[in-house]
Amino acid sequence: MEGPSDGHITLGPGDAYINSSTAPADTTSSSSPHVSKLQKLLYRRMLIGVNDGRYFLGLFHCIDKQGNIILQDAVEYRSARHSSSSPMEQRCLGLILIPAACRSSCHVDCFIEEQMSLLSLDK
């Protein structure tokens, strides 16, 4: 899990499984560093880009071992036309699953201090 300097955390498909409905409130010392990182990202706003050019914005709900991500309260954004000057269309979707094979980018909104603390869990 690496993050660019613009205050986003990038979530890779190799990060561990986490489900928000079964996650404990605080992290135990027996869990892996990947699970600890993902638990801190639960219910954060996540922007996911897919291969066909669409983007989905929603709350991070869970990820499985294969890297499939579930977002809740998701909104789909897509270009109305193929020109870069055309406006984005949006559509409310609710709870969605985004397969890892379709995902081209994944960013989580957070403050730079939070990003640094998440990146320091590897030490």
Side-chain angles (χ1 to χ4, degrees), residues 79-84 86:
S79 180
R81 294 183 179 83
H82 293 292
S83 67
S84 60
S86 64

Side-chain angles (χ1 to χ4, degrees), residues 23-45:
D26 58 19
T27 314
T28 63
S29 60
S30 64
S31 64
S32 77
H34 293 293
V35 172
S36 299
K37 288 179 188 181
L38 289 171
Q39 284 177 333
K40 291 180 183 248
L41 299 178
L42 289 174
Y43 303 111
R44 301 270 184 166
R45 292 182 64 85

Side-chain angles (χ1 to χ4, degrees), residues 16-64:
Y17 165 80
I18 185 79
N19 181 338
S20 60
S21 62
T22 60
D26 58 19
T27 314
T28 63
S29 60
S30 64
S31 64
S32 77
H34 293 293
V35 172
S36 299
K37 288 179 188 181
L38 289 171
Q39 284 177 333
K40 291 180 183 248
L41 299 178
L42 289 174
Y43 303 111
R44 301 270 184 166
R45 292 182 64 85
M46 182 176 283
L47 178 67
I48 299 177
V50 294
N51 297 335
D52 63 4
R54 293 178 295 161
Y55 288 91
F56 298 94
L57 181 65
L59 300 177
F60 175 57
H61 188 70
C62 70
I63 185 170
D64 62 12

Side-chain angles (χ1 to χ4, degrees), residues 105-117:
S105 65
C106 184
H107 301 281
V108 178
D109 284 332
C110 66
F111 295 110
I112 191 70
E113 294 83 13
E114 293 172 303
Q115 178 184 4
M116 297 308 290
S117 71

Side-chain angles (χ1 to χ4, degrees), residues 65-83:
K65 291 181 182 181
Q66 291 77 31
N68 303 315
I69 293 177
I70 293 181
L71 295 180
Q72 65 185 67
D73 302 327
V75 178
E76 173 191 25
Y77 294 93
R78 64 186 176 109
S79 180
R81 294 183 179 83
H82 293 292
S83 67

